[in-house]
Amino acid sequence: MDEQQGERPVEQAREAATAAGGAAGAGGLPEGPAPTTAELRLMIAVQRRLSQPAVVRTAQLMSLAGEHAAVWIAAGALGALVDAPRRREWAEATAAVVAAHGASVVVKRFTRRVRPAHPEVLVRAGTPSRFSLPSSHATSTAAAAVAFGRLVGRGRLAPLVPAMALSRIVVGVHYPTDVVAGSALGATVAALAPRALRRVGA
Protein backbone atom coordinates (compact mmCIF):
# COMPACT_ATOMS: atom_id res chain seq x y z
CA MET A 1 0.00 0.00 0.00
CA ASP A 2 1.49 3.37 -1.03
CA GLU A 3 1.52 6.51 1.10
CA GLN A 4 -1.50 8.03 -0.61
CA GLN A 5 -3.56 4.88 -0.06
CA GLY A 6 -2.37 4.66 3.53
CA GLU A 7 -3.67 8.15 4.27
CA ARG A 8 -7.06 7.48 2.69
CA PRO A 9 -8.59 5.69 5.73
CA VAL A 10 -7.86 8.70 7.93
CA GLU A 11 -9.44 11.08 5.47
CA GLN A 12 -12.51 8.84 5.18
CA ALA A 13 -12.78 8.60 8.95
CA ARG A 14 -12.53 12.36 9.31
CA GLU A 15 -15.15 13.01 6.64
CA ALA A 16 -17.54 10.41 8.04
CA ALA A 17 -17.10 11.67 11.59
CA THR A 18 -17.78 15.24 10.52
CA ALA A 19 -20.91 14.20 8.67
CA ALA A 20 -22.13 12.21 11.69
CA GLY A 21 -21.45 14.99 14.13
CA GLY A 22 -22.76 17.94 12.17
CA ALA A 23 -20.95 21.09 11.18
CA ALA A 24 -19.45 21.90 14.57
CA GLY A 25 -21.77 20.51 17.22
CA ALA A 26 -23.60 22.35 19.96
CA GLY A 27 -22.23 25.75 20.81
CA GLY A 28 -20.14 25.95 17.63
CA LEU A 29 -17.16 24.19 19.20
CA PRO A 30 -14.72 22.34 16.90
CA GLU A 31 -14.60 18.57 16.93
CA GLY A 32 -11.65 16.64 18.32
CA PRO A 33 -8.76 14.93 16.53
CA ALA A 34 -9.23 12.24 13.90
CA PRO A 35 -7.34 8.98 14.42
CA THR A 36 -3.91 8.40 12.95
CA THR A 37 -3.51 5.88 10.16
CA ALA A 38 -1.73 3.47 12.51
CA GLU A 39 -4.48 3.67 15.11
CA LEU A 40 -7.22 3.09 12.58
CA ARG A 41 -5.35 0.13 11.14
CA LEU A 42 -4.90 -1.31 14.63
CA MET A 43 -8.59 -1.01 15.38
CA ILE A 44 -9.59 -2.70 12.14
CA ALA A 45 -7.04 -5.45 12.71
CA VAL A 46 -8.36 -6.11 16.23
CA GLN A 47 -11.92 -6.33 14.96
CA ARG A 48 -10.95 -8.75 12.23
CA ARG A 49 -8.89 -10.90 14.57
CA LEU A 50 -11.61 -11.04 17.23
CA SER A 51 -14.62 -11.53 15.01
CA GLN A 52 -15.80 -14.84 16.46
CA PRO A 53 -19.51 -14.66 17.45
CA ALA A 54 -18.80 -15.68 21.05
CA VAL A 55 -16.17 -12.95 21.42
CA VAL A 56 -18.41 -10.31 19.89
CA ARG A 57 -21.35 -11.32 22.06
CA THR A 58 -19.21 -11.22 25.19
CA ALA A 59 -17.97 -7.74 24.24
CA GLN A 60 -21.56 -6.59 23.70
CA LEU A 61 -22.61 -7.93 27.09
CA MET A 62 -19.66 -6.18 28.74
CA SER A 63 -20.63 -2.95 27.02
CA LEU A 64 -24.19 -3.27 28.25
CA ALA A 65 -23.11 -4.07 31.82
CA GLY A 66 -20.64 -1.20 31.91
CA GLU A 67 -23.01 1.48 30.61
CA HIS A 68 -23.04 4.40 33.06
CA ALA A 69 -20.79 2.30 35.34
CA ALA A 70 -23.92 0.31 36.28
CA VAL A 71 -22.16 -2.98 36.97
CA TRP A 72 -19.63 -1.31 39.27
CA ILE A 73 -22.22 0.69 41.16
CA ALA A 74 -24.18 -2.51 41.69
CA ALA A 75 -21.02 -4.32 42.81
CA GLY A 76 -20.27 -1.56 45.31
CA ALA A 77 -23.79 -1.65 46.68
CA LEU A 78 -23.60 -5.43 47.04
CA GLY A 79 -20.26 -5.17 48.79
CA ALA A 80 -21.65 -2.65 51.26
CA LEU A 81 -24.62 -4.92 51.89
CA VAL A 82 -22.74 -8.15 52.60
CA ASP A 83 -19.61 -6.65 54.19
CA ALA A 84 -21.15 -4.61 56.99
CA PRO A 85 -17.90 -3.99 58.93
CA ARG A 86 -16.45 -2.24 55.88
CA ARG A 87 -19.65 -0.62 54.62
CA ARG A 88 -18.13 2.84 54.69
CA GLU A 89 -15.09 1.68 52.68
CA TRP A 90 -17.36 0.15 50.06
CA ALA A 91 -19.39 3.34 49.87
CA GLU A 92 -16.24 5.40 49.41
CA ALA A 93 -14.92 3.05 46.74
CA THR A 94 -18.21 3.25 44.87
CA ALA A 95 -18.12 7.03 45.12
CA ALA A 96 -14.66 6.97 43.54
CA VAL A 97 -15.99 4.95 40.61
CA VAL A 98 -18.91 7.34 40.14
CA ALA A 99 -16.54 10.31 40.30
CA ALA A 100 -14.25 8.76 37.70
CA HIS A 101 -17.16 8.04 35.39
CA GLY A 102 -18.40 11.59 35.79
CA ALA A 103 -14.95 12.94 35.06
CA SER A 104 -14.80 10.98 31.80
CA VAL A 105 -18.10 12.47 30.68
CA VAL A 106 -16.86 15.98 31.41
CA VAL A 107 -13.54 15.41 29.62
CA LYS A 108 -15.39 14.20 26.52
CA ARG A 109 -17.07 17.59 26.26
CA PHE A 110 -13.66 19.17 25.90
CA THR A 111 -11.90 16.65 23.68
CA ARG A 112 -14.97 16.28 21.43
CA ARG A 113 -13.50 13.39 19.49
CA VAL A 114 -16.21 11.80 17.37
CA ARG A 115 -16.64 8.04 17.58
CA PRO A 116 -15.35 5.74 14.82
CA ALA A 117 -17.21 6.15 11.55
CA HIS A 118 -15.16 4.33 8.92
CA PRO A 119 -16.52 1.85 6.34
CA GLU A 120 -14.21 -0.90 7.60
CA VAL A 121 -15.10 -0.43 11.27
CA LEU A 122 -18.05 -2.54 12.41
CA VAL A 123 -20.15 -0.76 15.05
CA ARG A 124 -21.79 -3.45 17.16
CA ALA A 125 -23.15 -1.50 20.14
CA GLY A 126 -25.15 1.61 20.82
CA THR A 127 -23.78 4.63 22.66
CA PRO A 128 -25.36 7.44 24.71
CA SER A 129 -23.23 10.14 23.07
CA ARG A 130 -21.25 10.76 19.89
CA PHE A 131 -17.97 11.59 21.65
CA SER A 132 -15.37 8.95 22.43
CA LEU A 133 -12.31 10.35 24.22
CA PRO A 134 -11.88 9.02 26.87
CA SER A 135 -13.85 5.78 27.07
CA SER A 136 -16.18 5.95 30.07
CA HIS A 137 -16.36 2.15 30.22
CA ALA A 138 -12.57 1.92 30.47
CA THR A 139 -12.53 4.76 33.00
CA SER A 140 -15.05 3.22 35.38
CA THR A 141 -13.52 -0.25 35.08
CA ALA A 142 -10.02 0.99 35.90
CA ALA A 143 -11.43 3.01 38.78
CA ALA A 144 -13.24 -0.06 40.09
CA ALA A 145 -10.10 -2.17 39.81
CA VAL A 146 -8.20 0.34 41.95
CA ALA A 147 -10.95 1.31 44.41
CA PHE A 148 -12.50 -2.12 44.94
CA GLY A 149 -9.09 -3.71 44.67
CA ARG A 150 -8.23 -2.22 48.05
CA LEU A 151 -11.06 -4.29 49.49
CA VAL A 152 -10.90 -7.57 47.58
CA GLY A 153 -7.29 -7.68 46.43
CA ARG A 154 -5.75 -5.73 43.57
CA GLY A 155 -4.93 -8.72 41.42
CA ARG A 156 -8.49 -10.02 41.30
CA LEU A 157 -9.98 -7.16 39.30
CA ALA A 158 -6.95 -6.05 37.31
CA PRO A 159 -7.59 -8.41 34.34
CA LEU A 160 -10.97 -6.77 33.78
CA VAL A 161 -9.31 -3.49 32.79
CA PRO A 162 -7.74 -4.68 29.51
CA ALA A 163 -10.74 -6.93 28.90
CA MET A 164 -13.18 -4.01 29.04
CA ALA A 165 -10.84 -1.81 27.01
CA LEU A 166 -10.55 -4.45 24.31
CA SER A 167 -14.30 -4.99 24.26
CA ARG A 168 -14.87 -1.35 23.33
CA ILE A 169 -12.67 -1.77 20.28
CA VAL A 170 -14.33 -5.06 19.34
CA VAL A 171 -17.77 -3.42 19.31
CA GLY A 172 -16.37 -0.54 17.25
CA VAL A 173 -17.21 2.45 19.42
CA HIS A 174 -13.74 3.49 20.61
CA TYR A 175 -10.26 3.97 19.20
CA PRO A 176 -7.32 2.42 21.08
CA THR A 177 -6.22 5.78 22.50
CA ASP A 178 -9.75 6.30 23.88
CA VAL A 179 -9.50 3.24 26.08
CA VAL A 180 -5.91 3.93 27.09
CA ALA A 181 -6.85 7.45 28.16
CA GLY A 182 -9.93 6.17 29.98
CA SER A 183 -7.97 3.54 31.88
CA ALA A 184 -5.40 6.12 32.96
CA LEU A 185 -8.09 8.58 34.03
CA GLY A 186 -10.00 5.99 36.03
CA ALA A 187 -6.94 4.70 37.84
CA THR A 188 -5.82 8.24 38.65
CA VAL A 189 -9.18 9.37 40.04
CA ALA A 190 -9.52 6.22 42.14
CA ALA A 191 -5.99 6.59 43.48
CA LEU A 192 -6.63 10.19 44.52
CA ALA A 193 -10.13 9.62 45.84
CA PRO A 194 -9.24 8.45 49.40
CA ARG A 195 -7.24 11.62 50.07
CA ALA A 196 -10.04 13.79 48.68
CA LEU A 197 -12.66 12.01 50.77
CA ARG A 198 -10.55 12.43 53.91
CA ARG A 199 -10.33 16.15 53.27
CA VAL A 200 -14.08 16.39 52.78
CA GLY A 201 -14.70 14.45 55.98
CA ALA A 202 -12.15 16.41 58.01
Side-chain angles (χ1 to χ4, degrees), residues 40 42-44 46-48 50 55-56 59-60 63 114-127 129-132 135 164-176 178-179:
L40 190 56
L42 175 59
M43 182 177 187
I44 293 170
V46 168
Q47 283 204 316
R48 289 177 177 174
L50 300 177
V55 174
V56 173
Q60 290 171 329
S63 293
V114 178
R115 293 185 187 274
H118 184 273
E120 293 186 57
V121 172
L122 301 177
V123 179
R124 297 159 165 150
T127 60
S129 74
R130 66 190 183 95
F131 298 128
S132 70
S135 163
M164 180 63 83
L166 190 60
S167 77
R168 303 305 284 163
I169 299 174
V170 170
V171 297
V173 296
H174 282 290
Y175 296 109
D178 296 339
V179 296

Side-chain angles (χ1 to χ4, degrees), residues 15 49 71 87-88 111 119 122 129 134 139 143 146 166 187:
E15 292 170 4
R49 182 68 178 84
V71 67
R87 185 163 293 162
R88 178 173 180 177
T111 59
L122 301 177
S129 74
T139 300
V146 173
L166 190 60

Side-chain angles (χ1 to χ4, degrees), residues 94-168:
T94 305
V97 173
V98 172
H101 178 79
S104 73
V105 174
V106 172
V107 172
K108 282 180 181 179
R109 304 306 174 189
F110 289 93
T111 59
R112 299 182 66 81
R113 186 187 216 185
V114 178
R115 293 185 187 274
H118 184 273
E120 293 186 57
V121 172
L122 301 177
V123 179
R124 297 159 165 150
T127 60
S129 74
R130 66 190 183 95
F131 298 128
S132 70
L133 178 66
S135 163
S136 294
H137 281 67
T139 300
S140 60
T141 300
V146 173
F148 295 153
R150 299 188 187 102
L151 299 169
V152 301
R154 298 183 186 278
R156 292 186 176 183
L157 298 179
L160 294 176
V161 177
M164 180 63 83
L166 190 60
S167 77
R168 303 305 284 163

Side-chain angles (χ1 to χ4, degrees), residues 60-78:
Q60 290 171 329
L61 290 174
M62 292 179 69
S63 293
L64 181 62
E67 198 67 66
H68 304 300
V71 67
W72 302 122
I73 295 173
L78 180 62

Side-chain angles (χ1 to χ4, degrees), residues 1-18 34-45 48 115-121 175:
M1 179 179 292
D2 59 30
E3 183 177 355
Q4 183 176 0
Q5 289 175 319
E7 293 299 325
R8 192 171 301 154
V10 176
E11 294 304 320
Q12 290 176 335
R14 184 181 292 111
E15 292 170 4
T18 301
T36 64
T37 301
E39 183 170 28
L40 190 56
R41 285 176 178 170
L42 175 59
M43 182 177 187
I44 293 170
R48 289 177 177 174
R115 293 185 187 274
H118 184 273
E120 293 186 57
V121 172
Y175 296 109

